[in-house]
Amino acid sequence: MQLSIIGCGYLGAVHAAAMAELGHTVVGVDVDAHKVAELAAGRAPFFEPGLPEILRSAVASGRLRFSTAMADASAAEVHFLAVGTPQQAGTDAADLSYVDAAFDGLIPHLAPGSLVVGKSTVPVGTAARLAGLLAERAPEASLAWNPEFLREGFAVKDTLQPDRLVYGVAGGAGDAVGRAQAATLDQVYRAAIEAGTPRIVTDYATAELVKVSANAFLATKISFINAMSDIAEATGADVTALADAIGHDARIGRRFLNAGIGFGGGCLPKDIRAFAARAEELGRGEALAFLREMDAINLRQRQRVVDAAVGALGGSAFNRRIAILGVTFKPDSDDVRDSPALDVAVQLKGLGADVIVTDPEGIENARRRHPQLAYTSSTAEALRGAELVVLATEWSEFRALDPAEASALVARPSIIDGRNVLDPARWRAAGWTYRGIGRP
Ligand code: NAD
C-alpha cells in the first residue's frame, strides 16, 4: 500500500521504517528539516535498537522516502498522524497545536477515498472533532484513530509484532464506513493480523480512552509500589520481596512493580496529567482525582532519592562529588524527556554538589537541556573520586558493574540504587554502603 506518516519522531520514524519493512511504500513527512535529512540518508536521528537496520534497508530498497513537504504525501491511500502531543505550557492539558497544524496541512493533499489514521495520543473527543473538520473540508476522505502502544527500547518489535491492534473507526464497528476503514487497516497490518494479533474495532472515544487508560493503569501500578516502598522504609520491610510475593498473584502480576525513582519520559507523565485535565473538562474530575495522587507519589520518589543522597553525604551535598549513572528516562533509549534521573542530577547540582553524569546514549540530549551539568561517556571516569554513586537508570552495563572494581575508583564506596537492580549483599560484601528504595 501507499502510506504516509506525518511526524517522524520516536513513534513516526519507527512506524515509517516498520511499514516499509512490511512491504508498503512509505513517505515520512516532518517539519524538522535536519531530522528529515538524517532519515533520508538512512540514519536514525535517535537511539532505538534495531531501527538503524530496518531504516537503512528500507531507504535503500526505495520503498521509504522522507520529505518536509506535505504535498509529497498526496499519493498515499492511508496517512498516519504521528506528531507530538506534549503537555501545554502552564497547564496539565495536552497541547494539540501540532496535531491541528499537521491535520490542517494534510487536508488539501488528501485524495478521494483516502484514510487519515491518528496515532498520536490525544484527549478523548479529538477524533470526533477532527472528523467533523474532515467532513466539511475533504468529505471524500475519512478518519480513524489507531492508538500506538510501542515502548521505547522495544519500538521496532512492538511495531512489527504489536500485542494488540485497536481501531477507532467512524460510527464504530457496526457502521459500514467504519467496517471499510477497519478492512483498510487490516491490509496495512496484514502480517500482524495473520500472526493472530488481537484486534479491537471500536468507536473513536473508546480507542482514544484505551490508550490513556492503559497509561493511567501502568502509572498507577508503578506509583502503587513506590508508595509501598515508602511504608517499607518506615518499617524495615523489603519492597522487592513484597513485589515478588504479591506479583505471584496472577491477578496482580510482577511486571511494573519495581520500586525506584519513578516513571518519566515523553508519555506517562504528560498523558496522566492530560487525562485528568480532560476529565475535569468533562465534569468528571473526581473520577480521575487519583491520577493527581499517582503523579504526586511519582514526583516524591525523585525527592526521596535527593534526600537520601544528602543523608548519605552526612547532611550536605555542597561541593561533594556525586556520580549519576544513567540520565535517560529508561534504558535502551536516548530520550531524556521528563527523565527522573536527569531531574535528580539537576536537583543535586542545585544543592551545590559536584555532579558528574554518565549514560550510554543520553548525554547529548541531556546536555542540550542542562548544559550546567558535567558529563562523561566513561563510567569509570564518572566513578573516579565520587563520594556517592546514584544508579538512576538501569542500563545493563550499570547492573553488571563489579562492586570491587568500582570501589577501587571511588573516594567513598557509597551507592544509592535508585532502581533496586543491584544485589545488596554482593555490594555490601565488597565494602559498599548500599541504599535501595524501600529495602532495609
Ligand atoms: P516526537 O516529539 O519524538 O515526534 C513528533 C514529531 O512530529 C517531531 O519530529 C516533530 O518535528 C513532528 N512534527 C510536529 N509538527 C509537525 C507537523 N505539523 N507536520 C509534520 N511533522 C510535525 O514525539 P513522539 O514520542 O514520537 O510522540 C508522538 C505521539 O505519539 C505523541 O502523541 C505520543 O504521546 C505518542 N506516543 C509516543 C510513544 C513513544 O514511546 N514515544 C508511544 C506511544 C504513543
Side-chain angles (χ1 to χ4, degrees), residues 236-384:
D238 183 343
V239 76
T240 58
L242 180 149
D244 289 344
I246 65 173
H248 281 299
D249 184 332
R251 294 169 302 175
I252 295 174
R254 180 63 178 83
R255 296 179 71 190
F256 267 59
L257 276 188
N258 295 318
I261 65 174
F263 58 80
C267 291
L268 286 195
K270 61 105 175 155
D271 286 350
I272 61 168
R273 288 170 202 153
F275 195 12
R278 182 69 184 126
E280 276 156 24
E281 284 172 13
L282 294 166
R284 302 294 163 91
E286 276 181 14
L288 298 189
F290 75 96
L291 286 180
R292 305 274 186 209
E293 191 54 37
M294 298 305 132
D295 196 12
I297 293 169
N298 189 56
L299 294 176
R300 230 160 28 230
Q301 292 303 101
R302 303 175 184 189
Q303 190 57 49
R304 283 176 64 197
V305 171
V306 170
D307 293 346
V310 172
L313 290 165
S316 169
F318 190 73
N319 270 346
R320 309 293 292 276
R321 179 82 166 171
I322 303 178
I324 307 282
L325 307 185
V327 76
T328 52
F329 86 98
K330 66 187 285 190
D332 298 314
S333 171
D334 65 358
D335 196 346
V336 300
R337 290 179 288 183
D338 206 347
S339 164
L342 184 54
D343 201 2
V344 164
V346 168
Q347 287 196 50
L348 288 170
K349 174 78 184 172
L351 295 176
D354 173 16
V355 172
I356 176 111
V357 176
T358 187
D359 190 280
E361 297 292 340
I363 291 176
E364 256 181 67
N365 284 340
R367 199 198 303 272
R368 214 168 297 131
R369 284 169 194 241
H370 290 289
Q372 78 275 26
L373 296 173
Y375 298 93
T376 171
S377 57
S378 154
T379 306
E381 199 50 49
L383 292 174
R384 191 160 293 129

Side-chain angles (χ1 to χ4, degrees), residues 6-13 29-32 35 46 70 82-86 97-99 101-103 119-122 148-152 211 215 266-267 270-271 329 335 337:
I6 315 301
C8 297
Y10 286 94
L11 163 54
V29 177
D30 201 290
V31 289
D32 181 335
K35 201 175 270 186
F46 51 87
M70 201 66 101
V83 299
T85 49
S97 61
Y98 303 97
V99 169
F103 195 72
K119 287 203 85 62
S120 303
T121 304
V122 291
E148 177 57 56
F149 303 97
L150 70 80
R151 299 160 298 167
E152 286 176 27
K211 174 63 194 174
N215 277 358
C267 291
K270 61 105 175 155
D271 286 350
F329 86 98
D335 196 346
R337 290 179 288 183

Side-chain angles (χ1 to χ4, degrees), residues 146-166:
N146 167 221
E148 177 57 56
F149 303 97
L150 70 80
R151 299 160 298 167
E152 286 176 27
F154 304 92
V156 172
K157 183 190 157 290
D158 287 348
T159 305
L160 291 171
Q161 293 147 23
D163 48 20
R164 81 291 217 186
L165 290 163
V166 176

Side-chain angles (χ1 to χ4, degrees), residues 137-190:
R137 296 178 50 198
E140 290 178 70
S142 71
L143 179 81
W145 216 268
N146 167 221
E148 177 57 56
F149 303 97
L150 70 80
R151 299 160 298 167
E152 286 176 27
F154 304 92
V156 172
K157 183 190 157 290
D158 287 348
T159 305
L160 291 171
Q161 293 147 23
D163 48 20
R164 81 291 217 186
L165 290 163
V166 176
Y167 306 162
V169 295
D175 184 275
V177 175
R179 277 202 299 275
Q181 292 180 336
T184 302
L185 283 168
D186 280 351
Q187 264 179 279
V188 173
Y189 296 124
R190 201 180 67 197

